[in-house]
Amino acid sequence: MTLESYVNSYLHPIGKGFFAEITLNRPKALNALSSEMFQELQKLLFSFKEREDIYFLFVHSSSTRSFGSGGDVKMVGQELFKNKESKAIEEFFKLEYKTDYLFQTYNKPIVAWGDGLLMGGGLGIFNGVSHRVVTPNTLLAMPEVAIGFFPDVGAGYFLNKKFQELGRFLGVTGARFGADDALDLDLADYKIEGMKKDEVFSKLLGETWDIGEKAVGEKLSGLLSQYALNRHENDKKYGQLLKCEDEIKVKLQSNDWKEVCENLLFWKNPGNAWIEESLAYFRKGSPLSWALSFRYLKEASTKSVKDVLLDDLNFAFQFCRGEDFREGVRALLLDKDQNPNWAFKAIDKIKEADLDPYFENIINRELMDDYFSSEDLLDQNHRHQAFQSKGSPQV
Ligand code: QUE
């Protein structure tokens, strides 16, 4: 392939068929995912879907530094300064969450090699696949509260899968975590040394895959398990989160966002360096984002992945109308002064009535539901129609 773009693909012939390699290749932006990249990913996933001669997909990054650092929120921030009703923003979030939905519901096994940064939008894609590989160098996070946003890309679904209080701790603080925590919380399936990638790849190329759809997934599981690093058999509390499971649960167990945020703010001397570090990330975030994120994650705990992604779309548009998201992107990613001027300076200034409007529906949910399930690549039927027509009643 001579033309290098942000998303590259290659069909590797094996036996009578192929496996499809997809490479995320925007290393200068640490693979921040743009609208064009989501469109390209959708195009590839749709074209491989119906082909019986494609056994499985392998998604990875051209750089060991990052599988994905997030969505291209720099673009979103820049657009927000021009026009809060920007069509480019509307299209971006529609494309992003539809791509997440496609990965979550794909009909073929997908191996994702999640080395380096695995944050925000990158984690959204990663979490949708059937075979999730992390390495000892993987650094995961849902860091959006730092930019006045919320844990999106299906986090209401995947952070709630196992140990809900621990998942919510990650979403509300933006804490960085590692491969072992990801395995503990069912956010990854295998931990393999990063430098084994070529060896694993060659192994996959040398195998027979003309064995039936179901057997392909099982065979992949077996092969990846052979390369996986063993966890200490007798030490279930291997990751950081499970080591502090009881303490975190006590702080996060309330249903009341204000109580939980205060528990975190006033958590003095936790006696654990990882918790200290996580609380430092938390304190830098937007108080309004803490409150909204906690309530959002809590309410998402019983929802399907599609409902969560449709909620994400609605919530993202609500955040675009507010002030903190634009301010957070400005302070951290555009001007880089690291000094956001948040709408609410403290959690005790926020009232339930400040949160309620964010939970009102402003999208045309039925149309967006259809859009998520359609293979309409050019999006002719859904272009710029995310919103309910002005003045229409809330559904
Ligand atoms: C919180 C975030 C993001 C972030 C930093 C945060 C995020 C994101 C990026 C990012 C990183 C590198 C880039 C880029 C964006 O940083 O979502 O364009 O080149 O995408 O503290 O949520």
Side-chain angles (χ1 to χ4, degrees):
M1 183 173 266
T2 49
L3 244 179
E4 290 284 315
S5 52
Y6 288 163
V7 179
N8 294 315
S9 67
Y10 188 81
L11 293 182
H12 294 272
I14 342 176
K16 286 185 238 150
F18 304 90
F19 85 68
E21 176 186 4
I22 297 178
T23 310
L24 302 171
N25 179 40
R26 195 189 179 191
K28 283 182 188 151
L30 297 170
N31 279 345
L33 299 159
S34 66
S35 293
E36 292 70 27
M37 291 167 82
F38 290 125
Q39 259 165 335
E40 193 54 40
L41 286 168
Q42 288 184 22
K43 215 181 281 180
L44 293 170
L45 290 188
F46 285 135
S47 75
F48 299 154
K49 200 169 181 171
E50 312 299 336
R51 286 186 55 170
E52 280 180 23
D53 59 344
I54 294 181
Y55 304 122
F56 64 89
L57 283 55
F58 185 99
V59 184
H60 66 145
S61 167
S62 57
S63 156
T64 55
R65 286 183 62 209
S66 180
F67 178 88
S69 61
D72 191 358
V73 286
K74 273 188 200 174
M75 178 284 283
V76 175
Q78 282 161 342
E79 284 290 312
L80 281 173
F81 277 101
K82 290 188 246 165
N83 170 17
K84 280 194 171 179
E85 316 252 297
S86 159
K87 295 297 177 200
I89 295 176
E90 184 185 325
E91 192 135 279
F92 170 78
F93 284 118
K94 282 168 61 182
L95 285 167
E96 173 163 37
Y97 304 147
K98 178 174 172 170
T99 306
D100 293 333
Y101 182 68
L102 260 178
F103 274 98
Q104 286 278 359
T105 54
Y106 206 60
N107 64 340
K108 291 183 196 293
I110 305 178
V111 179
W113 192 274
D115 203 359
L117 297 183
L118 195 52
M119 298 189 178
L123 195 49
I125 286 178
F126 183 80
N127 249 287
V129 311
S130 57
H131 294 72
R132 301 165 297 179
V133 179
V134 286
T135 81
N137 288 321
T138 306
L139 188 63
L140 303 97
M142 285 305 287
E144 293 80 3
V145 293
I147 53 168
F149 201 52
F150 72 101
D152 60 342
V153 298
Y157 175 76
F158 62 73
L159 289 182
N160 268 314
K161 276 200 293 189
K162 208 170 165 191
F163 304 113
Q164 300 194 338
E165 289 90 347
L166 305 187
R168 279 175 213 143
F169 177 81
L170 295 174
V172 171
T173 62
R176 271 54 170 171
F177 57 102
D180 295 311
D181 292 304
L183 292 168
D184 287 340
L185 266 65
D186 193 11
L187 300 172
D189 303 300
Y190 311 92
K191 180 172 78 165
I192 305 180
E193 285 291 352
M195 62 190 182
K196 293 271 183 191
K197 183 165 83 169
D198 290 348
E199 196 181 325
V200 171
F201 204 87
S202 302
K203 179 82 182 160
L204 300 180
L205 281 172
E207 290 292 318
T208 307
W209 297 102
D210 199 6
I211 53 176
E213 262 176 49
K214 190 160 171 283
V216 171
E218 286 165 8
K219 185 163 175 176
L220 284 170
S221 304
L223 286 175
L224 293 168
S225 299
Q226 286 172 25
Y227 289 91
L229 294 163
N230 278 327
R231 315 222 296 149
H232 296 292
E233 295 274 320
N234 299 320
D235 185 4
K236 289 214 170 73
K237 302 197 173 185
Y238 200 49
Q240 301 283 358
L241 278 157
L242 281 186
K243 277 187 197 134
C244 317
E245 183 181 4
D246 295 340
E247 292 96 312
I248 296 175
K249 278 188 173 166
V250 168
K251 304 291 183 189
L252 270 284
Q253 69 189 359
S254 169
N255 289 327
D256 178 358
W257 51 267
K258 194 168 277 190
E259 193 180 328
V260 168
C261 291
E262 283 173 351
N263 285 344
L264 293 173
L265 282 170
F266 303 132
W267 193 348
K268 300 284 184 255
N269 305 316
N272 173 301
W274 183 78
I275 296 274
E276 300 259 17
E277 189 195 317
S278 303
L279 294 174
Y281 281 116
F282 172 68
R283 281 184 226 106
K284 286 186 193 161
S286 147
L288 186 60
S289 285
W290 303 337
L292 288 166
S293 299
F294 180 77
R295 187 172 147 187
Y296 185 75
L297 291 175
K298 189 99 195 165
E299 290 183 10
S301 61
T302 54
K303 293 180 180 172
S304 70
V305 70
K306 191 176 203 183
D307 275 332
V308 168
L309 287 165
L310 288 166
D311 286 350
D312 282 346
L313 193 61
N314 191 61
F315 221 38
F317 292 151
Q318 292 282 14
F319 274 79
C320 288
R321 291 181 172 187
E323 297 302 323
D324 274 2
F325 182 26
R326 189 173 76 172
E327 174 60 8
V329 174
R330 182 203 65 72
L332 269 73
L333 299 173
L334 300 175
D335 298 346
K336 302 189 183 174
D337 59 33
Q338 312 293 333
N339 191 20
N341 179 23
W342 300 127
F344 293 91
K345 310 286 184 273
I347 196 75
D348 57 330
K349 300 275 190 292
I350 303 175
K351 297 189 173 53
E352 198 73 42
D354 297 312
L355 310 187
D356 290 336
Y358 279 79
F359 291 86
E360 283 169 15
N361 185 58
I362 50 172
I363 63 168
N364 188 330
R365 197 167 174 108
E366 209 173 317
L367 193 72
M368 290 303 101
D369 192 313
D370 288 349
Y371 166 68
F372 276 14
S373 298
S374 80
E375 296 197 9
D376 184 357
L377 263 183
L378 292 173
D379 190 22
Q380 296 294 0
N381 297 324
H382 302 95
R383 216 172 176 86
H384 310 319
Q385 290 183 48
F387 295 101
Q388 296 181 21
S389 53
K390 287 216 166 62
S392 67
Q394 305 290 344
V395 188

